[in-house]
Amino acid sequence: MSKNSVADSEKITAGVVEEKLNLVKEWDKVFPQSDKVFHSKITFHNRYGITLAADLYIPKNESLKVNGKFPAVSVSGPFGAVKEQSSGLYAQTLAERGFLTIAFDPSFTGESSGTPRNVASPDINTEDFSASVDYLSTREDVDENRIGILGICGWGGIGINAAAMDTRIKATVASTMYDMTRVSANGYNDANDNFEARHKMLVALNHQRTKDYKQGYYDRAGANLLPEELTVQTPQFIKDYTMYYETKRGFLPRSNNSVGGWNKTSTLSFINLPFLKRSNEIQSAVLIVHGEKAHSRYFSETAFQNMTENGKGKFTANKELLIIPGASHTDLYDNLEKIPFDKIENFYREYLK
């Protein structure tokens, strides 16, 4: 082999070989199946070699195509949920309205691959959204110039982070958004936003790392309270989570939020990596939707302020914050009377064209 051929080969990194996943075949969502869309399971991979599992929803109405192609939307969230829950409901509903959609399980969770299980990563999870755009961009029935994303709860913040990085994303919706980096580092309402509190937390988490390594398995943080564990003193938003994740309404055995929770040390990397650092540089369209009564509303309000630099930014014309009257955080998971699908559809119609 010549020196030139060796040099040329060193310029190429071998591609990813996707894992063959054992995907559930029957319909096991927490919402009914629509007769207006075609549903199937698909897989794709991210650039870290993790194979992701997704539900694909294709409109049956071919007349909704433009020049033979659909606009597409990738959906994920809430943080710790799986595609059989809220993200699948959003994806199927948008497919009924003319968008080819996927709802995917993030790396290390649900039916997607990646070990150890039940791990979250601000970097890898942002990459998951871009990987879904990779997949959608290569489909013959998708217009690669009309691809959007939709993130729910913690995946709203991740979606905005992806939009700040991935210029292929033409429109982003963040619904009932959490900024997981902010709440991990500062606590709720920034109550622990000081170096003493963060240091104490870091000490505990790093002791946990040592413990996990010694014992050969990862302790988990615990899922939501069960209905019988709720008391009069339980905060309302905790009750709301319980009534979604731990009842027939939203319970799913593969969901971290329903069973077991995340590995305790998943919080570590979120403490030092703020999602919204460059959100004011996002040139594509962003719609942030939040409930008036949601305990998490301040995440969306601050995100919008940062993104638009309080109305003084360069890229404010296509940014919008929509507050839903009377809605709680979890109302925007599955309450069809509260989720503003007409508004979301019109937003995508305007910016995915």
Side-chain angles (χ1 to χ4, degrees), residues 33-297:
Q33 187 170 11
S34 171
D35 61 1
K36 298 179 182 178
V37 303
F38 297 108
H39 166 263
S40 61
K41 291 283 189 73
I42 57 98
T43 61
F44 58 96
H45 63 271
N46 66 24
R47 64 189 178 91
Y48 294 109
I50 298 170
T51 300
L52 302 174
D55 285 297
L56 170 67
Y57 299 93
I58 302 177
K60 289 184 177 180
N61 187 351
E62 292 281 327
S63 68
L64 297 172
K65 288 183 177 179
V66 176
N67 297 324
K69 296 179 182 291
F70 289 111
V73 179
S74 171
V75 188
S76 198
F79 193 73
V82 288
K83 62 189 181 305
E84 289 77 19
Q85 296 170 310
S86 180
S87 61
L89 174 64
Y90 272 76
Q92 179 176 260
T93 304
L94 288 173
E96 290 177 331
R97 292 166 176 253
F99 302 90
L100 183 147
T101 64
I102 59 173
F104 67 86
D105 286 333
S107 296
F108 310 108
T109 63
E111 293 188 293
S112 291
S113 73
T115 56
R117 306 300 294 165
N118 313 310
V119 176
S121 162
D123 179 20
I124 296 175
N125 292 148
T126 301
E127 160 62 19
D128 288 343
F129 256 136
S130 285
S132 71
V133 176
D134 293 340
Y135 167 78
L136 290 171
S137 296
T138 61
R139 288 187 61 92
E140 293 184 356
D141 53 358
V142 168
D143 183 341
E144 65 179 300
N145 295 310
R146 294 193 295 150
I147 295 176
I149 62 173
L150 191 153
I152 305 161
C153 185
W155 277 80
I158 293 170
I160 292 175
N161 197 47
M165 177 189 70
D166 195 331
T167 57
R168 300 171 301 171
I169 298 169
K170 304 305 181 185
T172 300
V173 175
S175 180
T176 196
M177 174 205 152
Y178 256 60
D179 179 348
M180 294 308 302
T181 57
R182 180 179 178 182
V183 73
S184 296
N186 302 345
Y188 278 110
N189 296 301
D190 303 318
N192 295 322
D193 186 14
N194 60 80
F195 74 90
E196 294 96 342
R198 272 188 289 275
H199 181 73
K200 182 178 180 180
M201 178 169 50
L202 288 169
V203 168
L205 289 171
N206 283 294
H207 279 311
Q208 184 66 48
R209 285 191 64 144
T210 303
K211 179 186 177 186
D212 289 345
Y213 197 90
K214 284 181 178 179
Q215 67 191 11
Y217 58 87
Y218 295 86
D219 287 338
R220 297 176 70 178
N224 290 284
L225 295 175
L226 298 175
E228 59 268 25
E229 296 174 317
L230 300 177
T231 68
V232 174
Q233 289 74 34
T234 304
Q236 184 59 47
F237 76 97
I238 299 296
K239 294 178 180 178
D240 291 343
Y241 283 139
T242 290
M243 299 315 294
Y244 181 77
Y245 287 110
E246 303 298 350
T247 69
K248 186 178 180 181
R249 173 183 166 196
F251 178 84
L252 212 292
R254 291 190 297 276
S255 169
N256 287 341
N257 291 343
S258 291
V259 180
W262 294 101
N263 294 346
K264 286 184 176 181
T265 54
S266 283
T267 307
L268 268 169
S269 56
F270 286 84
I271 295 171
N272 283 354
L273 296 171
F275 277 148
L276 305 182
K277 179 69 175 178
R278 304 200 189 283
S279 61
N280 63 331
E281 298 180 7
I282 300 173
Q283 297 187 35
S284 59
V286 179
L287 169 64
I288 303 177
V289 181
H290 222 108
E292 177 192 16
K293 303 298 185 182
H295 70 286
S296 51
R297 175 177 167 178

